Amino acid sequence: MLPALGRIPVNVITSVLTNILRSQKLKRISSVGQELCGADSVDVMNSPGSEGPGEEASVEFVYCRGVVTELLKYGPKDLHTASKSPNSPKTLILVIPGNPGVVGFYKTYMWTLYQTFLQRYPVWAVSHAGHCMPPESFDMIEDASVTEKEDVFGLDGQIEHKLAFLRKHVPRDTNLLLIGHSIGCYIILEMMKRDPELKVVKAVMLFPTIERMACSPQGKVMTPVLCRLRYAFYLPIFLLSLLPERLKVGIVRLALRNLDALDNSIIPATVSLINVDCAANGMYMGSQEMRLVVERDNTTIHQHLSKIIFYYGATDHWCPVKYCHDIRKDFPEGDIRLCEKGIRHAFVLDAGEEMAKMTAEWISDDLRML
């Protein structure tokens, strides 16, 4: 049964669940809608960010490789237009998220980076395909036949999704400072490998899951969940998605109550995950991570070593300290750092500002040389 289910597209599963609930005369009593996603538009949506660190952010929804994609932008919204200005820095700081790939988690981190450099450089983030809840004017999938054929929601599909985003939205001569978090680091290495002509000035790898994921302490727990048991979570998540917005926010706050320095800007992003499409797409991608992220790509790392900064956590159960020691042995000349501040793997929960200030120090010299 489970292997067969694994071949069922997520949108089909969702449709089945929806029809079951409709047959029982249940209906959705609330949705996040415009509160989290902005105002309606046909092709691209723009909305101001929420209160706090993201108040000057632009949120856009576009289709990329046939799947709705959320963009979070500080600075110019259109680099093709901005690049024509003589004063344009022709530089982009781009964040590639972990899994779940919801850009709203990175608001504080991105805002701090943007402000630290006096708003001189645009700071953008691109979501993973299908990890954001689309607004009412968008379907999750633009063309189901293309999506299924190219496996856009899978790990390889997400890599090609980011390259497609760059081709369409970023001028080819733009200097790129890529910042990856968790599986976003693996994606960046693959991007640099598949498109060596990218003008990558620096690649910052935060808590990098670039090898032996299933063998890590957290991987040993999550591999059976993601690869064999994830289907059991679809119906409960779908039922939770029917709850009133206020109640969902309360549940999220309750779940995160033990965080002393909780960043409130991540609450809407967390609430948006109470959606069966987003959750299923994230878990499907996670199942592929467990199977495919095995050997570290030493060839690509060696080729771009002078451009890469690795930052490992001292208490990270996804990429344990042993992985840091191992890569240091293989690349003694590399810039490979081990956290001494007790920052967790999911730093966006309570240390986005601190992490951004450190990142700014690391990349400031590279920016000055451009």
Side-chain angles (χ1 to χ4, degrees):
M1 288 295 292
L2 291 179
L5 276 172
R7 294 192 291 270
I8 300 177
V10 169
N11 59 310
V12 174
I13 297 173
T14 306
S15 178
V16 170
L17 292 176
T18 302
N19 290 331
I20 290 173
L21 289 179
R22 282 178 177 170
S23 70
Q24 299 298 320
K25 300 190 181 299
L26 294 174
K27 66 179 182 179
R28 188 183 183 97
I29 56 180
S30 71
S31 64
V32 176
Q34 295 182 1
E35 283 187 39
L36 299 182
C37 298
D40 292 335
S41 176
V42 177
D43 296 314
V44 178
M45 296 187 51
N46 297 291
S47 68
S50 61
E51 294 180 0
E55 59 186 357
E56 295 182 11
S58 169
V59 178
E60 301 179 11
F61 289 86
V62 299
Y63 282 115
C64 184
R65 293 196 83 213
V67 180
V68 69
T69 303
E70 184 177 9
L71 311 177
L72 182 63
K73 300 179 178 181
Y74 289 98
K77 301 177 180 66
D78 186 341
L79 290 185
H80 288 286
T81 300
S83 64
K84 298 176 183 178
S85 169
N87 298 322
S88 171
K90 294 182 173 54
T91 299
L92 173 65
I93 301 173
L94 180 65
V95 176
I96 308 297
N99 184 3
V102 179
V103 294
F105 282 120
Y106 297 86
K107 275 189 173 182
T108 296
Y109 178 80
M110 295 169 62
W111 169 254
T112 304
L113 274 178
Y114 186 56
Q115 291 300 313
T116 300
F117 293 115
L118 306 176
Q119 304 184 10
R120 284 192 59 194
Y121 307 103
V123 181
W124 289 9
V126 53
S127 76
H128 294 322
H131 286 214
C132 60
M133 189 175 66
E136 292 181 0
S137 57
F138 276 68
D139 292 323
M140 177 69 79
I141 298 171
E142 186 178 32
D143 187 340
S145 62
V146 173
T147 304
E148 294 170 24
K149 180 180 178 181
E150 299 182 356
D151 193 22
V152 178
F153 299 127
L155 183 55
D156 184 77
Q158 297 288 0
I159 296 163
E160 292 299 327
H161 172 264
K162 305 307 174 292
L163 291 171
F165 165 78
L166 287 177
R167 285 193 293 270
K168 183 172 183 180
H169 296 275
V170 180
R172 190 66 177 172
D173 62 347
T174 301
N175 296 307
L176 297 173
L177 285 95
L178 302 178
I179 300 173
H181 175 214
S182 192
I183 195 62
C185 303
Y186 178 90
I187 291 174
I188 287 176
L189 286 177
E190 282 293 319
M191 291 168 64
M192 296 168 74
K193 176 181 179 179
R194 298 183 189 194
D195 190 351
E197 299 304 315
L198 288 176
K199 295 185 65 177
V200 178
V201 176
K202 206 72 172 181
V204 179
M205 310 294 199
L206 304 177
F207 307 94
T209 52
I210 58 174
E211 60 176 307
R212 297 176 280 178
M213 284 191 68
C215 297
S216 68
Q218 193 69 14
K220 291 176 181 177
V221 175
M222 293 303 297
T223 295
V225 173
L226 292 170
C227 295
R228 296 189 293 275
L229 302 176
R230 67 180 187 272
Y231 311 99
F233 292 93
Y234 291 173
L235 184 56
I237 293 171
F238 189 70
L239 293 173
L240 285 173
S241 72
L242 303 178
L243 295 174
E245 184 68 15
R246 186 177 301 176
L247 186 53
K248 287 189 284 187
V249 170
I251 291 172
V252 168
R253 289 191 178 277
L254 181 64
L256 301 175
R257 67 189 182 279
N258 291 328
L259 293 177
D260 294 332
L262 175 65
D263 184 348
N264 286 315
S265 72
I266 64 102
I267 297 295
T270 309
V271 171
S272 74
L273 292 174
I274 307 177
N275 173 282
V276 71
D277 284 320
C278 301
N281 290 334
M283 287 189 285
Y284 173 65
M285 177 181 171
S287 70
Q288 292 202 351
E289 293 171 33
M290 299 304 107
R291 298 197 312 269
L292 300 177
V293 182
V294 181
E295 297 290 336
R296 188 194 325 128
D297 187 354
N298 286 342
T299 301
T300 300
I301 292 172
H302 182 267
Q303 184 178 356
H304 300 281
L305 188 61
S306 63
K307 301 177 181 179
I308 301 175
I309 296 174
F310 290 102
Y311 189 78
Y312 283 83
T315 58
D316 191 342
H317 296 299
W318 276 114
C319 36
V321 173
K322 182 183 186 309
Y323 291 9
C324 179
H325 294 330
D326 289 346
I327 194 173
R328 279 177 168 175
K329 290 178 183 177
D330 291 339
F331 299 100
E333 70 279 22
D335 190 345
I336 302 165
R337 309 175 186 220
L338 182 63
C339 178
E340 298 178 349
K341 300 176 179 292
I343 299 175
R344 69 183 77 233
H345 183 91
F347 71 88
V348 294
L349 297 179
D350 55 4
E353 182 178 354
E354 183 178 10
M355 197 73 248
K357 289 179 179 178
M358 287 193 292
T359 305
E361 291 179 7
W362 303 338
I363 65 177
S364 59
D365 288 343
D366 297 281
L367 286 172
R368 276 196 291 267
M369 293 174 62
L370 296 177

